[in-house]
Amino acid sequence: MREPEAGCPGGEVEPLPSWAVWWGSLGWWLADALITVSQVQLLQRIGEAKVSDGELWRMSLASSLLWVPITVMCLRLSERVPLVRARLGRALAVHLGALLLVVVGRAGFVVLTQESIGWYERMPRVADVLAQSVVNNLLPFILLTAGAHALGLARRAHVRQRRADQLQAQLAEARLQALASQLRPHFLFNALNAVASLVHVDPDAAERMLARLGDLLRHGLDSHGRQEVTLREELDALAPYLDIERVRFGPRLSVTYDVPPEVLEARVPYLALQPLVENAIRHGLAPRAEPGRIDIRAERDGGTLCLRVQDDGVGPPAQVAPRGGGVGLSNLRARLTTLHGARATLALRPASPRGTVVEVRVPFAVEPRREAA
């Protein structure tokens, strides 16, 4: 599966909702303030600390609550500028800039609120306050950044697993639909009837027909588990089905291919072509007695691979929406969405002057090992 761009807003994972980020951070740091106050009060009881309750609450609450916006900033930075290898330099610069802002900002806050909160009995030099800010804030900032990235990794892993499960379920459904289509009594009866009619007049053709029927059923039962195959493999898998249909329909069915060699190694969803061709034969050409034609085309359009299956049959019903289609097309559309999101589309529309055209557009990508070759 293609690796989505890490941290891409609106891509692999959605950003955490603002209300959850702010309320979660507020609750966490209020708990931290309460724990700090409780610890100091315990020390006071045994005479190890001397500070009034008012000063203790002011300093604990001010110090902890100041971390709330910093925590939100760390979470948002981990979502928008994650520390990933592809953009490590820029990400490090952004996070180090944020660390500098935190150190200087908290030191400035201490200087400005010294009179009201009383951080020190006697105000030290600004340089000493800055040094103290580095010591106090460096480790919490690193822990916050690491925690935000760990949360992001966990969310991405959860989304990937859920997407993989969804793809497996959709692929299994597509395979069952393809197998059910191949095992339909009407299809098998016509295929076997065509074999029977060839046995005496053309035994070699009958043997080839049976062999192609076997190839088709074996292909439907194979379970190699790949979500994507090359266009060359997909065309090879489609060949037995079309060979059988050509024998069944005889001169009533002709098929043309327009697939340039440079797109044969492009990746396409497994079982992407068969439902398109089956839809053209069953709903476009089979209902009428005249000869019909199916054109299978593939082309690269920039960063997109365009697959187009067009027939000159009866065309889609007038009430069918342009993005409609049967169960097979609906399943393929769902798989495209899971694999590529909005970057992949499937559209069904009337062809000119007649018939139906189904167009699938997916991001253009080739098998890495073949690309290297």
Side-chain angles (χ1 to χ4, degrees), residues 16-327:
L16 289 168
S18 295
W19 66 266
V21 172
W22 280 100
W23 281 106
S25 301
L26 180 62
W28 175 271
W29 288 110
L30 275 178
D32 176 79
L34 291 175
I35 292 172
T36 301
V37 169
S38 300
Q39 290 174 335
V40 175
Q41 286 178 337
L42 285 176
L43 292 175
Q44 284 178 318
R45 289 179 185 175
I46 60 176
E48 294 294 331
K50 293 182 180 178
V51 60
S52 67
D53 284 346
E55 291 176 337
L56 175 60
W57 278 104
R58 282 199 304 273
M59 285 190 288
S60 296
L61 286 174
S63 178
S64 293
L65 294 182
L66 193 57
W67 279 105
V68 173
I70 297 173
T71 303
V72 174
M73 178 184 68
C74 290
L75 284 169
R76 292 310 188 202
L77 283 180
S78 73
E79 292 172 346
R80 297 176 183 178
V81 197
L83 291 165
V84 294
R85 184 179 303 175
R87 296 175 296 181
L88 187 58
R90 175 174 174 269
L92 276 176
V94 171
H95 285 276
L96 287 176
L99 173 60
L100 181 63
L101 179 66
V102 169
V103 169
V104 175
R106 286 184 66 91
F109 180 80
V110 168
V111 172
L112 293 175
T113 58
Q114 166 64 21
E115 293 296 328
S116 57
I117 296 181
W119 300 100
Y120 299 97
E121 290 186 2
R122 187 175 56 189
M123 188 66 190
R125 296 180 305 163
V126 173
D128 293 333
V129 176
L130 273 175
Q132 189 67 39
S133 181
V134 172
V135 172
N136 290 342
N137 300 312
L138 177 60
L139 183 59
F141 181 87
I142 292 175
L143 291 176
L144 276 178
T145 300
H149 278 75
L151 178 62
L153 288 173
R155 294 183 68 217
R156 281 194 285 275
H158 175 71
V159 168
R160 286 173 184 167
Q161 184 59 48
R162 188 176 59 185
R163 182 181 299 164
D165 294 342
Q166 189 176 4
L167 280 171
Q168 283 300 119
Q170 290 169 344
L171 179 60
E173 185 179 351
R175 298 179 70 86
L176 284 174
Q177 287 172 0
L179 190 59
S181 172
Q182 294 154 10
L183 293 176
R184 275 201 319 273
H186 185 67
F187 176 82
L188 278 181
F189 172 78
N190 285 326
L192 293 175
N193 194 40
V195 173
S197 65
L198 290 171
V199 165
H200 298 293
V201 296
D202 191 349
D204 292 338
E207 185 178 356
R208 288 196 298 272
M209 181 83 170
L210 284 175
R212 299 307 269 170
L213 186 57
D215 292 341
L216 180 64
L217 296 178
R218 184 170 56 253
H219 175 74
L221 292 172
D222 282 345
S223 57
H224 47 62
R226 296 167 62 191
Q227 292 291 345
E228 291 181 301
V229 296
T230 65
L231 180 56
R232 184 193 303 275
E233 292 172 307
E234 187 66 11
L235 290 171
D236 290 342
L238 178 66
Y241 176 77
L242 275 177
D243 287 345
I244 293 171
E245 295 289 36
R246 272 194 285 247
V247 173
R248 285 182 52 208
F249 283 83
R252 288 179 54 210
L253 174 63
S254 64
V255 180
T256 65
Y257 291 89
D258 183 7
V259 183
E262 59 267 23
V263 301
L264 283 175
E265 304 306 325
R267 294 201 304 244
V268 298
Y270 180 50
L271 287 176
L273 281 177
Q274 182 168 326
L276 307 186
V277 175
E278 182 188 349
N279 189 72
I281 293 176
R282 290 184 60 194
H283 303 294
L285 304 183
R288 67 176 197 177
E290 295 86 358
R293 191 180 73 186
I294 294 177
D295 298 323
I296 300 173
R297 300 176 183 171
E299 62 180 355
R300 181 176 183 177
D301 181 11
T304 301
L305 175 69
C306 179
L307 300 175
R308 190 176 296 116
V309 175
Q310 180 173 345
D311 66 78
D312 59 353
V314 298
Q319 68 273 18
V320 174
R323 285 174 51 83
V327 176

